[in-house]
């Protein structure tokens, strides 16, 4: 069966040569039904990274922790999806408009940059800034204001993926609601949907997958082995709550989010968005979601599949045509970050695509 192939493929990821990840969790389903669910490898294994030997230094064997379906992951850029959802919720409430200029609320922004452009990564802002090099929120945001006043690219001229877009959305949301992003996400998304394992950190380490022995020169900060605190250096510098990174969650909770979106914004008695808003969220070019990206969606791409990836190894994809979803959370950065590519993500998505196509 396809579920056996999907599960066996994911279980092989931590043991490959070279291994793609330390551990992984996969959940796939159709509509309200979970068809496949599995965990493999280790949530915690390494004490540190040895740059001379170019390998991880293992903890004592009795301190290794197996990956479980309920293991909590640093979602990295999957956080962006929640910021996008919160933005659209405020648009539904009339507190902001997608085509309004950002400078109407954040005066440092140059003319012509709209909320929609932040969501679609067409604002012209550069991919990132070294906020982690500055102490204090005011000094950190000064870097953003300088870029916002004179973006590297012309607003609306083309797609340029940028963490700064989502940090700007966070600031805009906080300005127009008077609430922090973590409160908006909890009260508007995770609370109503019963996603009890989803929150911003820091978290107690038990049950959380470790990420990286974060040290220069391969990283941007010297923090040692990171676990329960956000891996992204800029999100960490911003206090752990940021529009582009900082959320932690489980595959089970993310499956609930996927079901909600496939169902037009409702899950059980809870509704977080209207069906028309969900359609706009997921249709090209996607409002916060990537659409039809074969590098991680495999053969699900090409028919309107939407999803996102995260630097730590996280990803989700959903396909409204076949009413299917795939959540693959892998811990690809321990003991130190490397570019392992997205081939395993694409292979898992292709497995689901072929199975769903046969059952249509």
């Amino acid at each position: 069966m396809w579920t056996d192939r999907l599960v066996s493929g994911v279980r092989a990821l931590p043991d490959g040569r070279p291994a793609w990840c330390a551990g992984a969790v996969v959940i796939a389903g159709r509509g309200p039904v979970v068809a496949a669910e599995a965990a493999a490898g280790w949530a915690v294994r390494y004490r540190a990274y040895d740059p001379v030997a170019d390998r991880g230094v293992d903890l004592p064997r009795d301190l290794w922790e197996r990956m479980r379906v309920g293991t909590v992951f640093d979602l990295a850029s999957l956080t962006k999806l929640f910021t996008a959802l919160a933005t659209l919720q405020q648009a539904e409430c009339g507190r902001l408009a997608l085509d309004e200029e950002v400078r109407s609320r954040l005066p440092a922004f140059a003319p012509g940059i709209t909320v929609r452009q932040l969501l679609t990564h067409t604002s012209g802002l550069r991919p990132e800034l070294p906020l982690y090099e500055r102490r204090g929120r005011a000094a950190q945001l000064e870097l953003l204001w300088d870029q916002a006043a004179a973006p590297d690219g012309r607003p609306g001229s083309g797609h340029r993926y940028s963490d700064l877009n989502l940090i700007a959305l966070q600031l805009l949301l906080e300005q127009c609601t008077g609430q922090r992003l973590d409160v908006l996400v909890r009260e508007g998304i995770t609370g109503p949907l019963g996603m009890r394992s989803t929150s911003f950190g820091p978290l107690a380490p038990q049950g959380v997958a470790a990420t990286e022995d974060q040290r220069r020169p391969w990283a941007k900060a010297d923090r040692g082995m990171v676990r329960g605190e956000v891996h992204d250096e800029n999100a960490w510098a911003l206090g752990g709550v940021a529009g582009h990174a900082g959320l932690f969650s489980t595959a089970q909770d993310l499956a609930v989010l996927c079901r909600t979106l496939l169902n037009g914004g409702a899950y059980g008695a809870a509704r977080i968005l209207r069906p028309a808003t969900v359609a706009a969220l997921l249709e090209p070019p996607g409002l916060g979601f990537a659409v039809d990206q074969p590098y991680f969606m495999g053969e699900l791409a090409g028919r309107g599949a939407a999803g996102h990836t995260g630097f730590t190894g996280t990803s989700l994809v959903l396909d409204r045509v076949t009413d299917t979803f795939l959540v693959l959370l892998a811990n690809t950065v321990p003991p130190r970050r490397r570019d392992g590519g997205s081939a395993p993500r694409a292979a898992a998505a292709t497995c689901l695509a072929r199975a769903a196509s046969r059952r249509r």
Side-chain angles (χ1 to χ4, degrees):
M1 291 180 61
W2 73 271
T3 53
D4 296 331
R5 291 194 298 274
L6 175 63
V7 168
S8 63
V10 170
R11 284 180 173 158
L13 296 178
D15 299 319
R17 294 291 182 268
W20 186 63
C21 59
V25 176
V26 63
I27 292 182
R30 190 168 200 166
V33 178
V34 170
E37 181 180 82
W42 302 96
V44 178
R45 173 175 173 174
Y46 301 107
R47 176 174 60 82
Y49 168 71
D50 182 345
V52 176
D54 190 24
R55 63 176 181 81
V57 179
D58 287 339
L59 288 163
R61 188 63 175 77
D62 62 338
L63 296 181
W64 294 17
E65 295 182 21
R66 288 196 176 276
M67 194 69 77
R68 303 183 186 281
V69 173
T71 294
V72 176
F73 283 78
D74 178 339
L75 295 186
S77 284
L78 292 193
T79 303
K80 294 180 170 73
L81 304 183
F82 291 80
T83 306
L85 293 173
T87 301
L88 292 176
Q89 286 179 331
Q90 298 310 312
E92 285 191 346
C93 293
R95 291 196 179 97
L96 58 81
L98 296 186
D99 293 313
E100 71 175 72
E101 290 195 354
V102 178
R103 67 171 178 161
S104 67
R105 300 176 186 274
L106 302 177
F109 272 73
I113 300 177
T114 67
V115 176
R116 187 183 302 274
Q117 288 170 349
L118 295 179
L119 284 167
T120 57
H121 295 284
T122 56
S123 68
L125 296 178
R126 66 191 302 177
E128 63 176 353
L129 289 166
L131 307 182
Y132 52 85
E133 291 182 351
R134 296 199 173 189
R135 289 183 177 273
R137 189 177 180 87
Q140 293 160 354
L141 293 184
E142 184 180 3
L143 282 177
L144 176 60
W145 303 144
D146 289 344
Q147 170 62 192
D152 284 13
R154 181 170 57 85
S157 61
H159 184 273
R160 189 184 195 192
Y161 183 80
S162 170
D163 288 349
L164 303 185
N165 289 322
L166 280 297
I167 296 174
L169 281 173
Q170 171 194 1
L171 298 173
L172 187 150
L173 288 170
E174 293 176 349
Q175 189 277 337
C176 75
T177 66
Q179 294 183 305
R180 283 173 34 129
L181 179 63
D182 54 341
V183 175
L184 294 173
V185 169
R186 182 176 67 249
E187 295 185 352
I189 304 170
T190 61
L193 296 180
M195 297 170 65
R196 295 182 179 85
S197 297
T198 305
S199 68
F200 285 93
L203 305 179
Q206 189 63 35
V208 181
T211 52
E212 178 184 37
D213 182 7
Q214 196 171 94
R215 287 184 281 151
R216 294 180 175 91
W218 58 83
K220 303 167 187 173
D222 292 305
R223 299 168 62 196
M225 187 60 73
V226 179
R227 184 186 183 196
E229 288 189 296
V230 62
H231 172 270
D232 181 270
E233 292 93 341
N234 275 341
W236 167 68
L238 289 170
V241 177
H244 70 294
L247 269 176
F248 290 77
S249 188
T250 63
Q252 295 162 321
D253 268 14
L254 292 178
V256 170
L257 179 66
C258 291
R259 290 170 171 176
T260 301
L261 296 174
L262 288 172
N263 198 38
Y267 183 76
R271 175 168 291 281
I272 63 168
L273 287 173
R274 300 168 188 157
T277 303
V278 174
L281 184 80
L282 302 179
E283 289 172 358
L287 296 175
F289 280 71
V291 179
D292 287 335
Q293 297 296 318
Y295 80 92
F296 78 93
M297 297 179 182
E299 293 180 11
L300 282 177
R303 55 196 187 194
H308 214 287
T309 63
F311 184 81
T312 53
T314 58
S315 62
L316 66 80
V317 58
L318 42 97
D319 178 25
R320 289 181 296 161
V321 173
T322 58
D323 197 29
T324 56
F325 66 89
L326 173 72
V327 177
L328 177 57
L329 304 183
N331 202 1
T332 59
V333 290
R336 60 154 290 185
R337 64 188 71 184
R338 300 179 188 275
D339 183 8
S342 284
R345 293 179 176 126
T350 292
C351 183
L352 177 60
R354 294 177 180 179
S357 295
R358 288 195 295 269
R359 287 164 173 77
R360 287 178 61 187

